[in-house]
């Protein structure tokens, strides 16, 4: 309960920043639209390559087509996500320092570091493709991929703020992120779910409510009512995803400020951010 209470306080602090600068929600909206567009663009060639049924098209005995498509998909997708996150984090950093950011400020910051963002996306795409292939090797493979993926997510937690603020290359950003976490929270750390935990609980509640509402709608045998319930659920799910993405980026910016300056800024309490990671 203590962890959940701290997570809720982090949500409220991040929400206070978002309330001050509501335009920050534009960045995850752009990211979602672009990612969906990319997914639709890659869907046909990935289907033809057999990537959705666990197989890949072979050339000379090697899954060349599948690997190239998978790598291209991951790279483009991560570039979009990191670009929009960089814009959001950049704008959030301005607010946490007491400034008044605009949408243009965020995109200008992301444009300034676009080359590094693409480089980081290439690294993330490589890791993502490797983890996907490891996970396909049975139960042990899934465990190994999950553990490695968790370690990667913790090590790169501050990579985007490092890219945005310090202007270093992608490899140095990953190293610097890991160093900041170890320096601030110690060598043996584990990620605290924080904001993600709260939104997971909220989403489960929404799913439960949706299930009940859909069951009642089906009982009435009213097609318009069933469609309406499904539409509302999709709308709420999308809204939760957008808000969660925005709050997570703001939270990341606050954690970076705490790790580098000892003061998260904005509406964040330093002791609260200190609990962002816990010693194992």
């Amino acid at each position: 309960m203590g962890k959940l209470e701290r997570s809720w306080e982090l949500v409220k602090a991040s929400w206070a920043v978002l309330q001050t600068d509501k335009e920050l929600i534009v960045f995850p909206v752009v990211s979602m639209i672009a990612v969906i567009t990319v997914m639709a663009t890659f869907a046909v060639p990935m289907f033809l390559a057999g990537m959705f049924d666990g197989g890949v098209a072979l050339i000379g005995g090697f899954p060349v087509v599948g690997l190239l498509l998978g790598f291209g998909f991951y790279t483009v997708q991560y570039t979009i996500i990191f670009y929009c996150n960089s814009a959001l984090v950049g704008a959030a950093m301005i607010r946490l320092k007491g400034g008044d950011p605009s949408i243009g400020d965020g995109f200008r910051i992301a444009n300034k570091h676009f080359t590094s963002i693409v480089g980081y996306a290439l690294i993330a795409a490589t890791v993502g493709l490797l983890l996907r292939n490891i996970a396909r090797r049975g139960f042990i493979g899934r465990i190994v991929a999950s553990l490695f993926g968790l370690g990667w997510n913790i090590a790169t937690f501050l990579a985007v703020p490092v890219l945005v603020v310090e202007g270093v290359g992608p490899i140095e950003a990953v190293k610097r992120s890991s160093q900041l976490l170890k320096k601030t929270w110690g060598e043996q750390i584990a990620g605290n779910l924080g904001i993600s935990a709260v939104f997971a609980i909220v989403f489960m509640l929404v799913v439960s409510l949706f299930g009940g509402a859909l069951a009642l709608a089906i009982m009435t045998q009213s097609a318009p009512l069933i469609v309406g319930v499904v539409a509302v659920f999709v709308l709420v799910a999308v809204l939760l995803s957008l808000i969660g993405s925005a709050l997570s980026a703001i939270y990341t910016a606050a954690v970076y400020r705490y790790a580098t300056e000892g003061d998260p800024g904005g509406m964040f309490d330093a002791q609260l951010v200190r609990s962002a990671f816990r010693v194992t």
Side-chain angles (χ1 to χ4, degrees):
M1 291 301 296
K3 294 177 182 178
L4 184 59
E5 183 180 353
R6 289 195 298 271
S7 296
W8 178 245
E9 291 300 320
L10 289 171
V11 169
K12 290 198 297 183
S14 300
W15 176 254
V17 175
L18 184 59
Q19 282 289 90
T20 304
D21 296 286
K22 296 180 179 63
E23 63 272 20
L24 294 181
I25 199 68
V26 168
F27 301 116
V29 169
V30 171
S31 179
M32 177 175 286
I33 293 173
V35 165
I36 291 174
T37 302
V38 169
M39 290 177 67
T41 302
F42 275 83
V44 173
M46 290 175 74
F47 175 78
L48 294 176
M51 294 187 69
F52 294 117
D53 57 12
V56 289
L58 300 179
I59 296 181
F62 294 96
V64 177
V65 176
L67 287 174
L68 289 177
L69 283 173
F71 184 74
F73 173 73
Y74 276 122
T75 300
V76 176
Q77 186 181 52
Y78 281 133
T79 297
I80 293 170
I81 293 172
F82 293 152
Y83 176 82
C84 292
N85 278 352
S86 295
L88 205 166
V89 167
M93 291 296 292
I94 294 175
R95 169 56 61 186
L96 293 176
K97 292 179 180 179
D100 185 15
S102 65
I103 296 174
D105 289 331
F107 282 124
R108 276 192 293 273
I109 291 172
N111 290 336
K112 181 180 178 181
H113 303 288
F114 185 73
T115 301
S116 294
I117 290 171
V118 174
Y120 182 38
L122 288 169
I123 295 173
T126 302
V127 173
L129 198 59
L130 287 173
L131 291 179
R132 182 178 182 276
N133 283 297
I134 291 173
R136 290 171 56 190
R137 300 180 181 276
F139 179 71
I140 300 299
R142 288 193 291 273
I143 293 177
V144 172
S146 297
L147 292 175
F148 187 84
L150 176 61
W152 172 257
N153 288 335
I154 294 175
T156 59
F157 186 79
L158 298 177
V160 169
V162 170
L163 282 175
V164 168
V165 178
E166 302 182 15
V168 299
I171 296 177
E172 182 60 31
V174 174
K175 292 180 180 178
R176 175 72 171 147
S177 172
S178 180
Q179 290 169 355
L180 283 173
L181 291 171
K182 289 179 180 179
K183 177 183 176 182
T184 309
W185 284 274
E187 292 286 338
Q188 303 298 321
I189 57 176
N192 188 328
L193 293 177
I195 290 176
S196 297
V198 173
F199 273 83
I201 293 173
V202 172
F203 187 74
M204 285 190 292
L205 291 174
V206 170
V207 170
S208 299
L209 291 174
F210 165 73
L214 184 60
L216 291 175
I218 292 175
M219 290 175 61
T220 65
Q221 297 183 345
S222 171
L225 183 58
I226 294 173
V227 172
V229 170
V230 173
V232 170
F233 171 73
V234 172
L235 181 62
V236 172
V238 169
L239 186 60
L240 282 176
S241 177
L242 293 174
I243 294 175
S245 295
L247 297 187
S248 293
I250 293 169
Y251 169 52
T252 303
V255 172
Y256 173 80
R257 271 185 56 90
Y258 178 79
T260 55
E261 303 178 25
D263 176 21
M267 295 75 172
F268 288 88
D269 177 75
Q271 185 57 38
L272 186 63
V273 176
R274 171 73 186 177
S275 67
F277 292 87
R278 63 186 184 278
V279 178
T280 58

